[in-house]
Structure formats: C-alpha cells, structure tokens
C-alpha cells in the first residue's frame, strides 16, 4: 500500500496543492535523508535541533533557517529533493486560479476544498494505475471534519465534474499530521512551495531561476500529474 502526503501553498490569486506518494521503505528513506540534512545544518550552522523543513523559510532564510547562507540553504533543498526523486513513488500536482473564482465563476466550495477534490481524484487514479491502495495523510488545516466528510462522500458516491471518478483506491479516512511530527509532510511542503513559486513568480535574479530549475529537475521524473485549473 502507498502513503500519500499532502500540503498546500497559496497566494491571493493562486491555490496549489501537491501529494507525495511513497511506499513504506520509501517513506523511511526520505525521512532518514531529511533528518540527516537537518543534523548536518545543526552541526555546521547552529540551526536548532528541532528545525523543520518548510519551503518558504528555507527559500527566504527565515525562521529556523535565519542566518544560514543561501548556498547552504539551496544545498539542504537539493538533498531533500534528491531523496524524494530517489525514493518517492509519484508526485501529483494541482492548482487553481483563485482570481477567476473570485471574479465571477460560480463554484461550490472554497479553493482548498476544490483543489483537494481534484488532487484526491488524481491520487486515486495514480494508485489505480499502479495496482495499489493508498492512505491519505495531510498537513493539519482547519475544517478537518469537513474534509473527512467530503472524502467519505467521494468514496461512496464518487466526485463530480468533467474529470470526476469513483474513488476506489483510497482507503480509510483522511488523516492529519502536524508538520513538526512528520518529515514526509515537510517534504511535500518543499515540493508544493517550489511548484507554486515556479508557476506564478518571475525571479529577478537569474541565479535563482537556475537554482530552481536544477532543484525541480531532481523530482520532475516522479511527476505523474500536473495541472492548474482556470474556472
């Protein structure tokens, strides 16, 4: 059985979510690699031992990563993506143009609910293609009971829309885990942050563009689905 770790990244006009699918050995290998990357930063740069890996903080040098040189932070990102590229089974990436939703599109649900539904459809499809079942584990968010109820409905009756499907490969309910307790949740945080950044932001420094492109190349072969919806 596969595990699917979910997280989101958003701005005023865009909402993105991503899922990292991996099996048990893959989850252990990614966790060990991310632990090692943080341990090295603790010894080299004095990063706190409880430091977490979050895309925004690592990219901008804030929070736990304040004062760490840019090249070193890119190195940590690279180590994490190398582990995901080596040990992850698949990545599923979805997005939504919230500006279209805000200016006239009549849709039921929040951007999170809508993008999450699309993501679950493609997670189920990805698992089906591999002949696997999958357990969904998401970063902690609000309205957890609502998201569990939505998934329960999708499992029983299917989703709707042009790409709707009956979810037959997702098992149990939707589980939520704090990022502080899961390197896998942190791993998908890194992915979804850079996904949104590359899709919606033009870097002013060509060196940043090259670094982002090199990082993305580490995980790109694992992408099984990528789409942004313009309602």
């Amino acid at each position: 059985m596969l595990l699917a770790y979910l997280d989101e990244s958003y701005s005023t006009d865009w909402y993105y979510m991503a899922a990292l699918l991996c099996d048990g050995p893959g989850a252990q290998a990614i966790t060990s690699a991310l632990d090692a990357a943080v341990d090295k930063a603790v010894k080299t740069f004095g990063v706190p031992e409880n430091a977490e890996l979050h895309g925004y903080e690592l990219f901008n040098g804030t929070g736990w990563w304040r004062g760490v040189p840019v090249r070193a932070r890119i190195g940590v990102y690279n180590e994490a993506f190398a582990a995901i590229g080596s040990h992850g089974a698949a990545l599923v990436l979805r997005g939504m143009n919230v500006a279209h939703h805000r200016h006239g599109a009549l849709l039921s649900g929040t951007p999170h609910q809508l993008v999450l539904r699309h993501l679950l459809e493609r997670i189920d499809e990805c698992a089906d293609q591999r002949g696997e079942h999958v357990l969904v584990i998401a970063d902690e968010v609000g309205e957890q009971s609502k998201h569990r109820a939505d998934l329960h409905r999708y499992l029983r009756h299917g989703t709707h829309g042009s790409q709707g499907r009956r979810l037959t490969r997702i098992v149990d309910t939707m589980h939520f885990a704090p990022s502080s307790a899961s390197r896998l949740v942190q791993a998908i945080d890194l992915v979804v942050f850079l996904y949104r950044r590359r899709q919606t932001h033009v870097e002013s420094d060509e060196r940043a563009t090259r670094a982002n492109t090199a990082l993305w190349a580490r995980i790109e072969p694992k992408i099984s689905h990528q789409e942004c919806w313009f309602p």
Side-chain angles (χ1 to χ4, degrees):
M1 185 170 72
L2 296 173
L3 306 169
Y5 291 88
L6 279 58
D7 201 8
E8 72 282 337
S9 182
Y10 55 89
S11 63
T12 302
D13 291 335
W14 302 94
Y15 204 100
Y16 287 91
M17 294 191 73
L20 166 62
L21 280 66
C22 53
D23 59 15
Q28 290 178 324
I30 294 170
T31 296
S32 295
L34 269 60
D35 280 342
V38 172
D39 289 344
K40 185 164 67 175
V42 170
K43 295 173 183 176
T44 307
F45 301 105
V47 170
E49 291 185 359
N50 65 337
E52 297 178 28
L53 296 163
H54 293 284
Y56 179 85
E57 295 177 351
L58 199 55
F59 196 91
N60 293 286
T62 61
W64 287 285
W65 301 94
R66 188 181 305 278
V68 178
V70 173
R71 189 175 298 274
R73 288 186 276 112
I74 294 173
V76 173
Y77 228 121
N78 184 64
E79 290 177 44
F81 272 25
I84 294 168
S86 295
H87 304 292
L91 290 165
V92 180
L93 311 175
R94 291 291 310 192
M96 173 181 174
N97 185 293
V98 180
H100 280 219
H101 178 33
R102 196 168 53 243
H103 296 125
L106 298 176
L107 302 170
S108 59
T110 65
H112 185 91
Q113 290 170 330
L114 294 166
V115 179
L116 177 58
R117 188 188 80 213
H118 297 159
L119 190 69
L120 292 171
E121 290 169 349
R122 303 286 73 83
I123 290 171
D124 191 80
E125 179 182 60
C126 182
D128 189 35
Q129 291 169 347
R130 287 162 171 74
E132 297 275 7
H133 288 83
V134 58
L135 183 73
V136 176
I137 304 163
D139 190 15
E140 288 189 322
V141 294
E143 296 190 316
Q144 292 181 16
S145 60
K146 165 65 173 159
H147 300 316
R148 290 192 179 105
D150 287 344
L151 176 57
H152 179 70
R153 187 173 70 255
Y154 303 154
L155 291 172
R156 292 195 64 191
H157 306 295
T159 61
H160 59 275
S162 60
Q163 300 185 57
R165 63 182 282 128
R166 178 78 176 273
L167 305 186
T168 62
R169 292 292 174 167
I170 294 175
V171 301
D172 197 29
T173 185
M174 189 178 301
H175 298 264
F176 293 90
S179 62
S180 60
S182 173
R183 290 293 190 206
L184 280 303
V185 171
Q186 294 173 36
I188 195 59
D189 180 292
L190 296 175
V191 171
V192 73
F193 172 82
L194 191 58
Y195 173 42
R196 179 178 65 84
R197 180 93 183 181
R198 281 169 48 84
Q199 293 293 309
T200 66
H201 183 80
V202 177
E203 301 292 348
S204 58
D205 190 330
E206 181 59 32
R207 292 171 298 180
T209 301
R210 290 197 301 269
N212 292 348
T213 300
L215 286 172
W216 199 252
R218 288 283 199 180
I219 62 171
E220 193 165 22
K222 296 292 182 170
I223 297 173
S224 68
H225 174 86
Q226 177 179 335
E227 185 176 340
C228 185
W229 181 41
F230 290 78

